[in-house]
Amino acid sequence: MKPGTNILHLTLVVALGGLLFGYDTAVISGATEALQSYFHLTAAELGFAASSALIGCVIGALVSGYTSSRWGRRGALLLAALLFLISAIGSAIPESYWTFVIYRIIGGIGVGIASMVSPMYIAEVSPPRRRGGLVACNQFAIIFGMLVVYFVNYGIALMGSDNWLWSLGWRYMFASEAIPATVFLCLLFTVPETPRWLALTGRDEEAFALLKAINQHESVTGQWQEIKQSLAVREHPGIIASGFWAVLVIGIMLSVLQQVTGINVFLYYAPVILKGFSESTTDIALLQTILVGAVNLSFTVMAIYTVDKFGRRPLMMIGAGLMGVSMLAIGTAAYLDAIGGYLLIFMLLYIAAFALSLGPVTWVLLAEIFPNHIRSKALSIAVFAQWAANFAVSQTFPMMNDKHSLIYQQFNGGFPFWLYGVMGIFTVYFIYRWVPETKGKSLEQLEKLWHSKNKRSEAAVLSH
């Protein structure tokens, strides 16, 4: 089949990588208790079972820069789709804990690749005025994948008793991922490479023709000249030598702050947390988790429609502030032993704020702030930092939340939520102080912005 060039088609197909990102990372939320029972896990082993995929994500993020540069953006996504399929089948059949972990790591490599390449692909084919909303569609797909798997997990949980779920039902949860993985693998053959990657590899005629096909009703001559001008410096030996260390640091910080504000604590451990907030049974906790996913999805849609209208900075600052306040409230309630069902409201407020800000807008910024000639390498480093932070949070939360741990007994379970809340407040300051507004600018115009900032910084150093 000849690859299509309709921007909506390209976005929807590539965003399936985001859907599988969400599906793969959230599928374990409905199986944590089953895994603990089936494999007789300690709190630390349960944390590793949940976060083992993140080891793969870190590996995937590290190799994504090379694979997307060497084999192209589509080639990297094809590899990710294949890894998703292998992981789905392998995670459903193990009889040993470590076999399960190995297949989760394989799926994690796919997630790490897709998490970097999907938004980059969409950013590279999108017109500037629509780029924020289109890249945010990838986050919508991530959340939609999570919501779908919440429904799948809930449906599987209703098929039998808790004992059945803990002995066999959890396998169906992981096997279900094979369906969207197969669809993604097939549909990738209907999309082309990006014009910027084709230009980067010297295939100028193909790149220009594809750029015209994607922007059928607009002149692309000026945009093409900007692309060629930006790629004229592609022989620079590295990111630091290119003078873009400052934007790399900002990208790394955005990635880390998205994670250390605690989002994946709720996404991975929502049923466990909700059962702790009230006397919920397993199926009720899973049903409440679906509510969490619905709120996440709804406010992500709002972000898609507002990120190109109001800009990146306002959404990020408002959202991070609400996230910090919500986490501090949850931590205080836990410390005072005022736990009750009403805390679901704070949890939903936190999720809504994340979905409006750090969820989609962080990926928009990461996909657009890096210059063309270093984008794959710089984005790979930033996403590596994101998955490393994700792993640290996911691994440490079960230990901090273990009722037998010293830190839990000292703070009555409130400490981790306080920690994430403080990080949310710090994120507001970081965005205000260091992150520029990028809406409405082409990728090449943003590159010129960083060039001008570098020159001003160099001039300031020389003046002293």
Side-chain angles (χ1 to χ4, degrees), residues 61-80:
L62 283 175
V63 304
S64 60
Y66 172 80
T67 55
S68 61
S69 295
R70 180 70 177 83
W71 300 333
R73 300 359 180 182
R74 187 181 71 164
L77 289 173
L78 284 167
L79 174 60

Side-chain angles (χ1 to χ4, degrees), residues 247-313:
V247 67
L248 178 62
V249 171
I250 290 175
I252 291 172
M253 286 298 296
L254 286 171
S255 290
V256 171
L257 289 172
Q258 187 198 53
Q259 298 303 313
V260 298
T261 45
I263 181 59
N264 284 313
V265 166
F266 288 138
L267 298 183
Y268 297 162
Y269 301 106
V272 175
I273 294 172
L274 288 166
K275 287 179 72 175
F277 283 174
S278 63
E279 297 301 321
S280 301
T281 60
T282 298
D283 58 338
I284 295 300
L286 287 173
L287 186 59
Q288 290 174 327
T289 303
I290 292 175
L291 178 61
V292 170
V295 170
N296 203 347
L297 189 71
S298 299
F299 280 84
T300 300
V301 172
M302 188 180 299
I304 291 173
Y305 285 102
T306 56
V307 67
D308 286 318
K309 182 178 181 180
F310 299 124
R312 285 52 159 160
R313 278 166 52 90

Side-chain angles (χ1 to χ4, degrees), residues 374-390:
I374 64 168
R375 181 171 298 119
S376 60
K377 293 180 181 178
L379 189 53
S380 177
I381 293 170
V383 175
F384 164 78
Q386 183 174 124
W387 285 114
N390 189 331

Side-chain angles (χ1 to χ4, degrees), residues 159-229:
M159 292 171 60
S161 65
D162 281 356
N163 288 334
W164 173 84
L165 178 64
W166 295 346
S167 63
L168 180 62
W170 63 271
R171 297 182 184 275
Y172 291 97
M173 294 179 178
F174 292 103
S176 65
E177 188 182 348
I179 298 173
T182 301
V183 172
F184 182 45
L185 182 62
C186 294
L187 287 179
L188 279 173
F189 290 100
T190 70
V191 302
E193 278 297 345
T194 72
R196 286 173 173 84
W197 182 79
L198 291 171
L200 190 63
T201 54
R203 296 158 63 177
D204 287 359
E205 290 186 7
E206 292 179 65
F208 184 67
L210 181 57
L211 193 66
K212 288 198 301 182
I214 293 173
N215 301 273
Q216 294 180 4
H217 305 294
E218 301 177 17
S219 173
V220 297
T221 303
Q223 187 179 1
W224 176 248
Q225 291 302 320
E226 288 182 339
I227 292 173
K228 291 300 296 177
Q229 183 180 359

